[in-house]
Amino acid sequence: MPAVSKGDGMRGLAVFISDIRNCKSKEAEIKRINKELANIRSKFKGDKALDGYSKKKYVCKLLFIFLLGHDIDFGHMEAVNLLSSNRYTEKQIGYLFISVLVNSNSELIRLINNAIKNDLASRNPTFMGLALHCIANVGSREMAEAFAGEIPKILVAGDTMDSVKQSAALCLLRLYRASPDLVPMGDWTSRVVHLLNDQHLGVVTAATSLITTLAQKNPEEFKTSVSLAVSRLSRIVTSASTDLQDYTYYFVPAPWLSVKLLRLLQCYPPPDPAVRGRLTECLETILNKAQEPPKSKKVQHSNAKNAVLFEAISLIIHHDSEPNLLVRACNQLGQFLQHRETNLRYLALESMCTLASSEFSHEAVKTHIDTVINALKTERDVSVRQRAVDLLYAMCDRSNAQQIVAEMLSYLETADYSIREEIVLKVAILAEKYAVDYTWYVDTILNLIRIAGDYVSEEVWYRVIQIVINRDDVQGYAAKTVFEALQAPACHENLVKVGGYILGEFGNLIAGDPRSSPLIQFNLLHSKFHLCSVPTRALLLSTYIKFVNLFPEVKTTIQDVLRSDSQLKNADVELQQRAVEYLRLSTVASTDILATVLEEMPPFPERESSILAKLKKKKGPSTVTDLEEAKRERSADVNGGPEPAPASASAASTPSPSADLLGLGAAPPAPTGPPPSAGGLLVDVFSDSASAVAPLAPGSEDNFARFVCKNNGVLFENQLLQIGLKSEFRQNLGRMFIFYGNKTSTQFLNFTPTLICADDLQANLNLQTKPVDPTVDGGAQVQQVVNIECVSDFTEAPVLNIQFRYGGTFQNVSVKLPITLNKFFQPTEMASQDFFQRWKQLSNPQQEVQNIFKAKHPMDTEITKAKIIGFGSALLEEVDPNPANFVGAGIIHTKTTQIGCLLRLEPNLQAQMYRLTLRTSKDTVSQRLCDLLSEQF
């Protein structure tokens, strides 16, 4: 910056500011300002021409007056004239005044633009910097129209100074954020990427910010930045703190540039193997440095070091492809859970929520359950406690569900009011999703209503009723439990609703006990009647009329209640109408008619859980980033079904068989459109004449192999489209949710996903899909549900073909859908004696398949266990005489038969090899399972 000359102190401005500060009242200040404005106006209108110094001084005073909150309606032209000065201080004040006071509609904008253009063309770095700062500060659409084409040229010009390149990159970033449609992509895009190799780290930092933002909307244009970013990151993380002295912050080399490079890499899927190896080394180095003792005790050092670490962990989670890195990241975060710094504990909990979604790190996350539960009980910051609740929800599975639900219920009694509703929803979802014994589910939900009844939404108690109606085995227990719960002196109204509905349907199952006779049930419910709101009273009246059908002995008592003036002449029309109609029905209808009209409610049909839908709604609208959220919520939507209406007389219908609540057993909808062709087209969702199917996308086989041992994650990703999966299997049935995410800002038109099966696969695997919207908005996602039935064992996998139009260009993508035979595995626990007895029974040569192969991944015991469990079999401990070996057992369920499977995996650490042996009752199954599992190690 040029030196300030002696006359640039502007003593008159200092005196004016001092006068303003010395004013004793607002009136005195206004008087002094008006006097100064009159003086400035007279100077500007005077016959004597003002020199540059005087103009600068008076423009400065006007700027100060404006910043005090007073309107300024003159002086703009003088400020524009200052832009023509060759003195730095005068030009600086002119640009400052324009940046603050001139709007985009000003008549002077053309003069201002001309002055800026002159400065940009001057090649004077100081003047160019002032002009670029002004453009960025104003940032209007008019500025973008005038200079968006010029600034990229300055940025990539070979003779531009480093300080100007920095300003140009940040100025272009500002214009792109304000008016992305006005910044043209062109030849400069390939050249700006090479700024990542610039020797000046300030230029690299500014360029990385620009490229990251541009790559989010135009990934194809900047894909070459990945290798350059990895190369630059590698040089930074392997350098000593003395190598980059100007950019070392408290012994951490270039931390902010490292963070920006890691964020840039998160715009793209994992790179090619050669680049991936170098990136993995970088990430391992960052994780290793986190374990080193701190080089300084100052908080700035730990902040910079942890900023890089957390961004590296975000990249590891984004790629979700390196099991070792995921487990190491989890262990590192686990150390932060007990850190004395609150922010670190918060960030660790937040990152572990995402890690819990990975099949590779889920088990590692679960090891910290006690620490997370302790945080829930002892943390003073409510935001940290909320993250602890989120992490417990994310790490929950069948093995720890009862412990986590119990802890969340315990915390709910003292939880902050702001998060109680969300905890209630999560407890309800977990209790339903992982309920092996549905009596536990009923107890949990009733306890939930008791503890936090005011926060139990209609969706929750609707859901209890739906599940009880759909499961014959729990109906009697539910009736008994709610009857006992209603005997408490004070019951929440939601409990009365659940009790009224369930006793109205299934009160006859407990009526044989003298302690819960029909009259006692009725008196118990009616004792709550006068304390309830109108909707609950209406539900109880429906329960009473159902009692008339179930228990003729209380008919007279109930008719007396319905006949009372408080019902027949009730001020509420709904209650009055119900009382009149139910009384008349009980009087004139015969026993057969009454039994038909008031028969038991049929099971509810399949639909998305309303509780889960409510939780998703609380988390915000669906976007492409919801694919990450889908990865956090490890499992598919829980037991589906619509909410029941409040109990009322049901229309005559025949109850259907007990429904499978996951909807897996529901008959799939009849397919519409033309039948499958002989070529093997199973379902063509929208198009009646599809284009030729594209060959499998690059990397499709690798992604397919990753899903053999996991059910959720990103199946495919390119610059336009992201495909995510969530799936759930039970016995021979499955349901898969496919998420199609539009990563661009442009609509996808004629969006047509199609499932393709070979002829022999169609005979062994039934797939039915629900159609998706043919238009996918920019930045949005659509979901498709696939219902799956395994008829017999199979070898091949179906192909998912997606065709759509993007910007007038036809796109055609094909990927293998990871529906494999092991998905229909049901784990079987066995004692050692039972295992070897069964092993000997499967001793025919055709029943055994063995494969000896070289390890493709590091031979880690915990990861191997996780993969065997993810494969579907039970992992049997203490069965094999050699503790280093892994033994598993399970049953493959198909519609036609069940196939028992035993496996044994013997690792040889010295030779880095495995021997895998599989024995099943069917030779083709043994071979297929062996092929699938061998690829995982």
Side-chain angles (χ1 to χ4, degrees):
M1 184 183 293
V4 179
S5 63
K6 184 179 179 182
D8 287 337
M10 293 190 288
R11 183 172 176 277
L13 175 63
V15 170
F16 173 61
I17 293 174
S18 178
D19 290 346
I20 293 295
R21 289 176 176 170
N22 292 329
C23 289
K24 302 296 184 184
S25 64
K26 186 71 173 174
E27 291 74 15
E29 178 185 306
I30 293 173
K31 183 177 179 181
R32 178 69 181 89
I33 286 173
N34 287 337
K35 178 182 176 183
E36 191 64 38
L37 287 174
N39 177 53
I40 296 172
R41 198 185 299 269
S42 67
K43 295 290 185 182
F44 283 168
K45 290 184 177 180
D47 296 332
K48 186 179 177 182
L50 295 175
D51 59 11
Y53 169 79
S54 299
K55 283 184 185 177
K56 178 186 70 171
K57 179 177 67 175
Y58 292 134
V59 167
C60 250
K61 288 182 178 181
L62 290 177
L63 183 57
F64 179 72
I65 292 169
F66 176 79
L67 294 177
L68 289 175
H70 301 271
D71 291 334
I72 299 297
D73 56 2
F74 70 98
H76 299 75
M77 192 62 200
E78 283 69 20
V80 173
N81 290 337
L82 285 175
L83 301 184
S84 305
S85 172
N86 287 324
R87 293 172 65 96
Y88 169 77
T89 54
E90 293 172 10
K91 191 181 288 286
Q92 180 194 33
I93 295 301
Y95 275 124
L96 182 60
F97 185 94
I98 287 165
S99 298
V100 175
L101 270 89
V102 175
N103 61 48
S104 57
N105 298 321
S106 172
E107 297 174 355
L108 300 174
I109 200 70
R110 184 173 296 177
L111 291 173
I112 294 170
N113 287 352
N114 285 336
I116 291 175
K117 284 180 181 177
N118 291 336
D119 282 338
L120 291 178
S122 70
R123 313 310 293 175
N124 181 320
T126 305
F127 293 172
M128 292 176 75
L130 286 174
L132 289 167
H133 292 172
C134 180
I135 295 170
N137 286 332
V138 176
S140 65
R141 191 169 181 83
E142 288 72 17
M143 285 287 187
E145 288 175 344
F147 300 108
E150 186 71 23
I151 295 172
K153 297 176 184 176
I154 296 172
L155 179 59
V156 299
D159 59 344
T160 304
M161 290 187 64
D162 292 335
S163 61
V164 178
K165 284 184 181 179
Q166 285 179 261
S167 298
L170 296 176
C171 179
L172 188 59
L173 175 60
R174 171 73 171 90
L175 295 182
Y176 183 80
R177 285 174 174 167
S179 307
D181 55 311
L182 296 180
V183 178
M185 298 294 112
D187 295 339
W188 65 272
T189 56
S190 59
R191 298 174 64 188
V192 79
V193 168
H194 291 284
L195 290 178
L196 294 176
N197 276 335
D198 198 279
Q199 293 183 346
H200 193 281
L201 287 190
V203 174
V204 181
T205 305
T208 305
S209 297
L210 173 64
I211 293 168
T212 301
T213 302
L214 293 173
Q216 289 170 353
K217 293 288 183 69
N218 308 279
E220 191 64 31
E221 296 272 357
F222 299 93
K223 63 183 180 182
T224 55
S225 65
V226 173
S227 58
L228 296 177
V230 172
S231 176
R232 174 62 79 172
L233 181 66
S234 177
R235 278 179 274 166
I236 293 172
V237 299
T238 56
S239 66
S241 58
T242 54
D243 294 344
L244 305 171
Q245 287 187 351
D246 292 341
Y247 286 87
T248 295
Y249 181 79
Y250 288 87
F251 303 103
V252 182
W256 316 129
L257 176 55
S258 301
V259 167
K260 289 177 184 291
L261 290 169
L262 290 164
R263 284 186 182 165
L264 171 59
L265 292 171
Q266 290 175 55
C267 297
Y268 292 91
D272 297 332
V275 180
R276 187 185 301 187
R278 192 171 185 184
L279 176 58
T280 301
E281 290 177 10
C282 292
L283 296 172
E284 286 176 343
T285 303
I286 293 171
L287 292 173
N288 290 337
K289 285 186 175 181
Q291 299 290 341
E292 296 173 359
K295 297 178 180 177
S296 170
K297 293 183 179 180
K298 293 190 176 181
V299 69
Q300 292 92 335
H301 171 73
S302 61
N303 282 348
K305 188 175 175 182
N306 292 330
V308 178
L309 174 63
F310 276 103
E311 207 59 51
I313 290 173
S314 295
L315 180 60
I316 292 169
I317 295 170
H318 172 76
H319 285 172
D320 192 23
S321 60
E322 296 291 338
N324 285 336
L325 287 177
L326 286 162
V327 172
R328 286 195 61 189
C330 180
N331 294 336
Q332 180 63 53
L333 292 172
Q335 296 176 20
F336 288 144
L337 292 180
Q338 294 178 307
H339 200 278
R340 58 188 177 85
E341 177 61 44
T342 304
N343 288 337
L344 274 182
R345 296 197 301 273
Y346 179 94
L347 290 170
L349 289 166
E350 188 174 48
S351 297
M352 287 185 83
C353 283
T354 314
L355 273 174
S357 69
S358 172
E359 300 292 330
F360 302 120
S361 55
H362 181 73
E363 292 299 320
V365 171
K366 283 167 57 179
T367 61
H368 301 285
I369 184 170
D370 293 333
T371 308
V372 179
I373 290 171
N374 184 57
L376 191 64
K377 295 176 179 177
T378 60
E379 278 289 349
R380 284 185 282 181
D381 191 309
V382 62
S383 61
V384 180
R385 293 198 297 273
Q386 185 165 7
R387 292 288 81 78
V389 170
D390 291 341
L391 179 53
L392 285 174
Y393 177 77
M395 71 166 63
C396 188
D397 60 20
R398 208 169 291 279
S399 66
N400 58 18
Q402 295 199 11
Q403 179 189 3
I404 287 177
V405 168
E407 292 293 346
M408 291 174 78
L409 279 173
S410 174
Y411 172 62
L412 190 56
E413 298 195 41
T414 56
D416 300 81
Y417 295 114
S418 59
I419 62 174
R420 283 195 179 189
E421 184 180 4
E422 187 173 329
I423 295 175
V424 167
L425 291 173
K426 287 180 174 176
V427 168
I429 290 169
L430 294 179
E432 178 184 347
K433 184 191 256 183
Y434 299 115
V436 178
D437 178 5
Y438 272 85
T439 59
W440 170 74
Y441 169 75
V442 171
D443 290 338
T444 300
I445 299 299
L446 292 182
N447 203 15
L448 191 65
I449 294 173
R450 179 187 63 79
I451 294 171
D454 289 339
Y455 297 90
V456 175
S457 61
E458 287 186 338
E459 287 83 359
V460 174
W461 74 263
Y462 284 172
R463 199 74 186 127
V464 187
I465 291 166
Q466 177 186 323
I467 287 176
V468 170
I469 286 176
N470 284 15
R471 296 194 70 91
D472 297 337
D473 56 331
V474 80
Q475 290 164 358
Y477 180 82
K480 177 176 177 291
T481 306
V482 295
F483 175 78
E484 292 171 352
L486 286 170
Q487 293 178 12
C491 295
H492 194 275
E493 190 167 331
N494 281 331
L495 181 59
V496 177
K497 292 175 182 176
V498 174
Y501 203 115
I502 290 178
L503 291 179
E505 293 291 330
F506 310 113
N508 59 309
L509 300 178
I510 61 171
D513 189 333
R515 293 169 297 179
S516 55
S517 65
L519 186 59
I520 293 176
Q521 289 186 43
F522 169 74
N523 288 335
L524 181 61
L525 284 175
H526 197 54
S527 67
K528 316 291 183 186
F529 187 89
H530 65 288
L531 300 172
C532 298
S533 62
V534 169
T536 306
R537 291 186 188 186
L539 186 149
L540 288 177
L541 289 178
S542 299
T543 300
Y544 298 166
I545 191 62
K546 290 221 167 192
F547 275 3
V548 170
N549 177 47
L550 291 175
F551 315 121
E553 60 267 37
V554 297
K555 178 176 180 179
T556 305
T557 306
I558 292 173
Q559 285 178 333
D560 290 341
V561 171
L562 295 174
R563 198 179 285 117
S564 65
D565 286 349
S566 61
Q567 306 305 332
L568 290 182
K569 297 181 179 179
N570 197 292
D572 186 86
V573 175
E574 175 68 21
L575 293 180
Q576 186 186 94
Q577 182 176 353
R578 289 196 183 209
V580 171
E581 292 180 356
Y582 291 166
L583 178 61
R584 190 65 178 157
L585 181 64
S586 68
T587 305
V588 303
S590 66
T591 305
D592 291 341
I593 292 175
L594 207 59
T596 302
V597 173
L598 301 172
E599 70 182 348
E600 187 179 304
M601 286 289 288
F604 291 96
E606 173 209 352
R607 213 180 83 187
E608 179 187 48
S609 165
S610 55
I611 308 176
L612 194 59
K614 185 178 179 72
L615 184 62
K616 287 178 181 176
K617 189 175 180 182
K618 281 177 69 67
K619 291 293 184 184
S622 176
T623 63
V624 171
T625 55
D626 280 347
L627 286 169
E628 301 303 318
E629 181 69 18
K631 288 168 67 181
R632 283 190 209 109
E633 295 173 0
R634 292 175 44 77
S635 183
D637 294 344
V638 293
N639 308 343
E643 308 85 343
S648 60
S650 60
S653 64
T654 305
S656 63
S658 178
D660 178 355
L661 292 182
L662 277 169
L664 303 181
T672 58
S677 69
L681 180 63
L682 178 66
V683 177
D684 186 352
V685 181
F686 276 106
S687 173
D688 43 10
S689 60
S691 302
V693 176
L696 290 178
S700 177
E701 291 288 351
D702 292 340
N703 286 340
F704 176 84
R706 286 172 52 206
F707 276 84
V708 169
C709 292
K710 70 175 189 175
N711 290 332
N712 313 314
V714 177
L715 175 65
F716 171 80
E717 184 171 16
N718 63 11
Q719 288 75 22
L720 306 178
L721 177 69
Q722 188 181 47
I723 304 174
L725 295 183
K726 292 197 305 179
S727 49
E728 189 170 35
F729 296 86
R730 178 182 292 175
Q731 296 184 357
N732 71 310
L733 301 170
R735 184 167 58 172
M736 180 177 285
F737 292 80
I738 308 176
F739 300 88
Y740 304 101
N742 182 347
K743 294 175 61 178
T744 74
S745 56
T746 306
Q747 276 189 339
F748 291 167
L749 302 176
N750 301 329
F751 189 81
T752 310
T754 307
L755 282 178
I756 301 171
C757 293
D759 289 341
D760 55 345
L761 182 59
Q762 283 192 47
N764 298 327
L765 193 67
N766 284 339
L767 302 178
Q768 293 293 341
T769 63
K770 295 182 179 179
V772 298
D773 194 323
T775 301
V776 184
D777 293 331
Q781 74 171 4
V782 294
Q783 172 185 305
Q784 185 176 34
V785 181
V786 181
N787 289 322
I788 308 160
E789 181 185 33
C790 179
V791 179
S792 183
D793 62 282
F794 58 94
T795 303
E796 296 301 319
V799 172
L800 175 64
N801 176 247
I802 303 102
Q803 300 179 5
F804 59 94
R805 290 201 168 272
Y806 165 73
T809 306
F810 178 72
Q811 305 290 329
N812 194 348
V813 177
S814 293
V815 293
K816 286 179 73 173
L817 203 60
I819 302 175
T820 50
L821 186 59
N822 65 293
K823 300 297 183 185
F824 304 97
F825 236 137
Q826 291 295 306
T828 304
E829 296 292 340
M830 281 186 177
S832 177
Q833 181 180 353
D834 296 334
F835 178 85
F836 285 108
Q837 181 181 352
R838 180 64 178 153
W839 185 266
K840 291 174 182 176
Q841 291 173 355
L842 297 171
S843 57
N844 291 339
Q846 65 269 24
Q847 293 177 326
E848 178 180 288
V849 173
Q850 191 172 90
N851 186 19
I852 300 173
F853 55 94
K854 192 81 174 173
K856 301 173 187 171
H857 306 286
M859 298 177 74
D860 183 278
T861 301
E862 293 303 316
I863 292 175
T864 302
K865 288 181 178 179
K867 287 184 176 180
I868 291 175
I869 293 171
F871 191 67
S873 74
L875 185 64
L876 306 182
E877 304 282 358
E878 300 178 0
V879 168
D880 197 294
N882 184 349
N885 293 344
F886 303 93
V887 176
I891 298 173
I892 296 287
H893 287 261
T894 71
K895 185 177 181 181
T896 55
T897 185
Q898 294 183 6
I899 304 160
C901 307
L902 303 178
L903 68 87
R904 188 182 192 192
L905 182 68
E906 300 166 89
N908 185 331
L909 291 174
Q910 286 81 11
Q912 289 289 296
M913 297 187 73
Y914 288 100
R915 179 167 66 183
L916 174 63
T917 309
L918 268 128
R919 291 187 180 183
T920 77
S921 53
K922 193 170 183 180
D923 55 345
T924 54
V925 173
S926 300
Q927 186 63 55
R928 180 56 177 159
L929 293 180
C930 185
D931 293 343
L932 287 170
L933 193 54
S934 298
E935 291 297 318
Q936 301 303 307
F937 301 105

